[in-house]
Amino acid sequence: MWPLVADTDRFNRDTGVPPVEVLGTEANARRRLRLRRLGVPIEWEEEPFEWVRPHRFGVVRRYARGPIVELRVEARLEERDDAGTSLDYDVRVRPRNLLGLLAAAVQIGLVSRSRFARTFRTYDSLATTSEPAQPARLASGGGDRLRRGGEKLREQGVDPRLVAALVVLLERGDEQALARLRPYELADAWQAGRRESLELLLHSTRIGLTELRWELLCPSCRGPAATVGSLRDLDTGVHCETCGIDVSADLDRSVEVTFTPSPSVRAVDRREFCVGGPQLSPHVVAQQLLGPAEERRLTVRLRPGTYRVRALGEAGGDVFEATGETVVTLANDSESERLLRLERTEWRDRAATAAEVTSLQAFRDLFSTEVLRPGEPVSVGTLTVLFTDLRDSTRFYREVGDAPAFGSVMQHLDVLREAVASEGGAVVKAMGDAIMAVFTHPAAAVRAGLAAQRAVAGRPLELKVGVHTGPCIAITQNGALDYFGSTVNLAARLVSLSTGADVVVSGEVLADPEVEELALRREPLAATLKGFEESLELWRVR
């Protein structure tokens, strides 16, 4: 029940609360909000939500004028012995006058009580069944576009089961869920591969069924500080109003790719009905507002992982490993009020980051014009870079002639492209008979290099391969997305050491756990590389 009840944005919508407008954000995520009921504006200051997942949450709203002074909401959920859930939803009002007393009795005691009960009964049913299909709400001509789009996707070789799931989602999915489609969450729901689900949405965007969005996420609250439709429009730094901090663009850590239906298929209502509930920050296990020198002890049940306690808007925090029932002490040792959070650190597990998406061959094929703002380098975190080159290609041209040799080289480039794409990588550029490719995992790059060598062998061609992993910088170069930095430079140097019957890798690549699991034959390599004075650990693997 928690994911449904604690989704206060959806709950407010489902119970008939009008959409809200944010008038301003103060310290510790206090907000000034307004809604209109029957044309009459109602304004209030909202304290930050407090919660301990998945047992309780609450919020306090104070009204500057009108018949109500204050409204407090607290929800408590407890697991029952019969595997059900007990829900206690408590709403308390402090009226300003007699009119407020009457308004509270009618609106909250009768109208809202009935709506809340009906909505909770619906959620109780949803907790044990799948989301019921909603009536189709397509744009004019949207049904035909959706049908033709589904046919195109199947013709392009996309899994028909995933195409059918996407068509149903776009046609009958919940409005709020459609406003922000996360590929990896859909993959989990569809019991499908993450790459397959992501590539499905990339293809559906290319044919006009969906739209792609780049979200610059705040590292503290992890909410979108900015959303743009193109990498070119992505600012390298924006301000998060909730946390009061500046956010810089890092394609691996702070930029997530999401999708939404194309308006030509289905227009989605993007209005907000609540802006601070627990489900808006699913990585936060507990959030508590503490006064100066205040301390609270919380007993929480944590799934295995890494957690930290920190104040909203602050970097760092106290990091620890935990699993199962855990007692956590939140302490505010400052002289001012602070909003403290206990949060999971593994937030990217469910996020398709820009670094991952831009290193997919499907993305580069479908969105070749999608580039960063010229002249603005952006960190993409750690990537694995692969370079290839043909051994003795000049001699090969002389021996067989230019035309036959050129044909063989072009065929070898097709082989490389297929090997890279099959491992989830992307060819960044071809340089004569050589290529540069990027991957998010070292093992994928090594497998692709070895597979390409096997496929090319005997053509008669021999393929030299070098692989290194480390931090990279992305930049727009010659109208395309390219990568630079020491990691790229070292990978480019390694290819010259390959004999064509091995892949030369750095020690960082070989130390990767997934590469170790490949159980490759390995041989240490001693070499001096131009531009790298330090001693390097290098290996030949087969």
Side-chain angles (χ1 to χ4, degrees):
M1 287 289 287
W2 174 270
L4 294 165
V5 176
D7 187 350
T8 52
D9 188 39
R10 172 175 177 164
F11 177 76
N12 285 359
R13 182 203 64 179
D14 291 347
T15 55
V17 176
V20 299
E21 176 187 357
V22 179
L23 302 179
T25 303
E26 312 297 337
N28 291 315
R30 280 190 177 84
R31 293 181 175 90
R32 290 180 290 109
L33 303 172
R34 177 170 61 199
L35 61 76
R36 294 181 181 274
R37 192 179 289 277
L38 300 177
V40 178
I42 302 174
E43 298 182 8
W44 69 94
E45 180 184 81
E46 185 166 287
E47 295 283 305
F49 274 77
E50 295 186 84
W51 66 82
V52 177
R53 187 182 304 272
H55 296 297
R56 65 180 185 272
F57 68 87
V59 67
V60 178
R61 294 168 182 153
R62 297 186 175 91
Y63 300 84
R65 52 185 176 273
I68 302 296
V69 175
E70 182 181 276
L71 181 144
R72 291 177 176 266
V73 176
E74 184 176 7
R76 293 179 292 276
L77 297 90
E78 293 295 336
E79 185 177 353
R80 296 199 313 234
D81 294 337
D82 61 359
T85 301
S86 293
L87 169 62
D88 183 5
Y89 197 83
D90 189 35
V91 181
R92 297 178 181 270
V93 174
R94 183 154 61 93
R96 180 170 276 114
N97 47 40
L98 180 59
L99 177 61
L101 184 62
L102 293 174
V106 174
Q107 179 61 44
I108 297 175
L110 296 176
V111 178
S112 294
R113 182 187 182 94
S114 174
R115 291 176 177 174
F116 290 178
R118 182 172 61 251
T119 301
F120 287 139
R121 284 194 294 270
T122 300
Y123 290 174
D124 184 44
S125 176
L126 289 178
T128 55
T129 60
S130 59
E131 186 88 27
Q134 302 294 322
R137 302 175 183 176
L138 300 179
S140 177
D144 289 338
R145 295 186 187 94
L146 192 56
R147 177 181 54 79
R148 290 196 300 268
E151 292 173 354
K152 286 183 180 179
L153 290 173
R154 286 186 286 270
E155 290 171 359
Q156 293 172 1
V158 180
D159 186 343
R161 183 179 69 87
L162 293 183
V163 174
L166 177 63
V167 168
V168 171
L169 176 65
L170 295 180
E171 183 178 24
R172 299 181 177 273
D174 180 78
E175 285 277 309
Q176 286 178 302
L178 289 173
R180 188 170 185 257
L181 297 174
R182 304 180 77 198
Y184 295 167
E185 288 185 350
L186 291 179
D188 293 343
W190 293 338
Q191 296 183 330
R194 289 188 164 188
R195 194 176 96 198
E196 290 77 10
S197 299
L198 174 56
E199 290 184 350
L200 165 69
L201 289 167
L202 290 173
H203 281 281
S204 70
T205 297
R206 194 71 181 118
I207 65 175
L209 295 185
T210 56
E211 292 183 347
L212 183 153
R213 297 176 182 274
W214 307 89
E215 296 183 349
L216 181 54
L217 304 182
C218 171
S220 180
C221 69
R222 295 178 191 165
T227 301
V228 296
S230 170
L231 274 177
R232 190 186 302 274
D233 299 326
L234 189 67
D235 280 333
T236 54
V238 298
H239 187 74
C240 176
E241 295 294 338
T242 299
C243 302
I245 62 174
D246 293 329
V247 181
S248 59
D250 181 326
L251 298 191
D252 185 47
R253 294 180 177 273
S254 61
V255 181
E256 180 178 358
V257 176
T258 62
F259 298 82
T260 192
S262 168
S264 66
V265 173
R266 178 173 173 178
V268 174
D269 185 356
R270 304 184 188 282
R271 295 177 298 173
E272 293 180 302
F273 298 85
C274 181
V275 295
Q279 287 303 93
L280 294 174
S281 301
H283 65 291
V284 178
V285 179
Q287 176 170 288
Q288 301 285 300
L289 184 64
L290 274 65
E294 185 179 356
E295 182 176 299
R296 295 181 193 173
R297 289 168 60 86
L298 306 177
T299 300
V300 291
R301 182 168 294 278
L302 304 176
R303 64 173 186 241
T306 305
Y307 296 81
R308 67 181 166 197
V309 174
R310 64 174 175 175
L312 181 69
E314 294 185 2
D318 298 323
V319 180
F320 61 95
E321 300 285 332
T323 183
E325 188 170 290
T326 306
V327 177
V328 179
T329 300
L330 303 182
N332 178 13
D333 54 4
S334 71
E335 297 180 355
S336 59
E337 186 181 63
R338 300 173 81 197
L339 186 63
L340 296 181
R341 292 177 144 194
L342 167 62
E343 60 186 27
R344 291 189 300 274
T345 60
E346 299 92 343
W347 71 275
R348 287 185 296 166
D349 181 57
R350 299 175 69 85
T353 66
E356 291 176 297
V357 175
T358 54
S359 63
L360 279 178
Q361 190 64 53
F363 174 82
R364 287 185 168 266
D365 290 343
L366 297 170
F367 301 94
S368 59
T369 60
E370 188 67 60
V371 295
L372 293 165
R373 186 174 297 172
E376 290 192 4
V378 177
S379 171
V380 292
T382 297
L383 285 179
T384 300
V385 183
L386 174 148
F387 275 88
T388 72
D389 195 10
L390 285 178
R391 182 179 181 183
D392 294 333
S393 59
T394 302
R395 178 177 56 82
F396 179 63
Y397 270 86
R398 288 201 311 267
E399 289 179 352
V400 304
D402 288 346
F406 180 77
S408 295
V409 169
M410 290 300 100
Q411 290 177 357
H412 125 271
L413 291 177
D414 290 337
V415 169
L416 289 179
R417 181 186 179 88
E418 182 178 346
V420 169
S422 67
E423 290 292 345
V427 175
V428 177
K429 56 189 174 184
M431 302 152 287
D433 51 21
I435 70 160
M436 170 188 171
V438 292
F439 301 79
T440 55
H441 299 285
V446 173
R447 287 194 300 265
L450 293 171
Q453 283 183 333
R454 290 192 296 268
V456 168
R459 284 185 177 256
L461 297 169
E462 289 183 305
L463 185 69
K464 300 188 293 182
V465 182
V467 180
H468 180 46
T469 189
C472 295
I473 298 295
I475 194 170
T476 296
Q477 181 84 350
N478 298 323
L481 198 62
D482 206 342
Y483 301 92
F484 291 89
S486 296
T487 298
V488 176
N489 294 338
L490 179 54
R493 299 284 190 273
L494 295 183
V495 70
S496 64
L497 303 177
S498 173
T499 65
D502 55 40
V503 174
V504 175
V505 302
S506 63
E508 290 83 353
V509 170
L510 195 64
D512 181 79
E514 290 182 330
V515 174
E516 290 183 347
E517 290 178 1
L518 297 178
L520 300 171
R521 288 181 295 160
R522 63 186 69 180
E523 174 188 335
L525 173 62
T528 301
L529 298 177
K530 181 180 178 181
F532 293 87
E533 305 302 329
E534 68 273 23
S535 176
L536 298 171
E537 180 186 349
L538 305 176
W539 297 82
R540 299 186 190 275
V541 298
R542 297 178 176 86

